[in-house]
Amino acid sequence: MKQPFHPALDAVGLTDVLGALSDPVRLQIVSILAEGGPRTCGEFDLPIAKSTLSHHMKVLREAGILASKADGTRCFVSLRPELDERFPGLLRQVLSLAERTEARA
């Protein structure tokens, strides 16, 4: 498996990041990674097809939010740590706001 494309940090735009986080499934993926750390793609217990999960992972990776690393036939994903250097506190704030919104619903 070849290594997936990751945009350079200076090419990551705020609108790309916020656009990727606007989808509830992608927001849930980011939340899972923020709470539990890196994992393989197969470890996500979401009620979606594998192809849909792959699509969401690709959107998050191309927006500069996720880092993916292929290792044999497995793919490991994690939050991209340098994103916090580019947009300090952004993910933490978005996840906090999402939690508060869900708590009210």
Side-chain angles (χ1 to χ4, degrees):
M1 179 184 286
K2 71 178 190 170
Q3 294 299 328
F5 166 78
H6 295 88
L9 187 59
D10 61 351
V12 174
L14 181 60
T15 55
D16 297 327
V17 172
L18 292 175
L21 293 173
S22 68
D23 183 278
V25 173
R26 292 193 288 264
L27 193 57
Q28 189 174 6
I29 292 167
V30 171
S31 179
I32 290 168
L33 290 170
E35 291 175 14
R39 57 186 60 212
T40 64
C41 294
E43 292 180 276
F44 288 88
D45 187 25
L46 298 171
I48 57 176
K50 287 182 183 182
S51 60
T52 304
L53 178 61
S54 293
H55 167 74
H56 286 303
M57 295 285 191
K58 180 181 178 185
V59 170
L60 290 166
R61 183 176 36 79
E62 290 180 350
I65 299 168
L66 294 187
S68 299
K69 182 179 181 200
D71 184 19
T73 59
R74 298 181 348 170
C75 179
F76 292 88
V77 292
S78 62
L79 293 178
R80 194 167 171 185
E82 62 270 24
L83 184 65
D84 203 45
E85 296 169 20
R86 178 102 167 122
F87 304 111
L90 178 66
L91 282 183
R92 184 174 51 252
Q93 187 65 30
V94 168
L95 292 173
S96 175
L97 290 169
E99 282 180 23
R100 282 190 255 166
T101 303
E102 287 178 11
R104 285 190 226 156

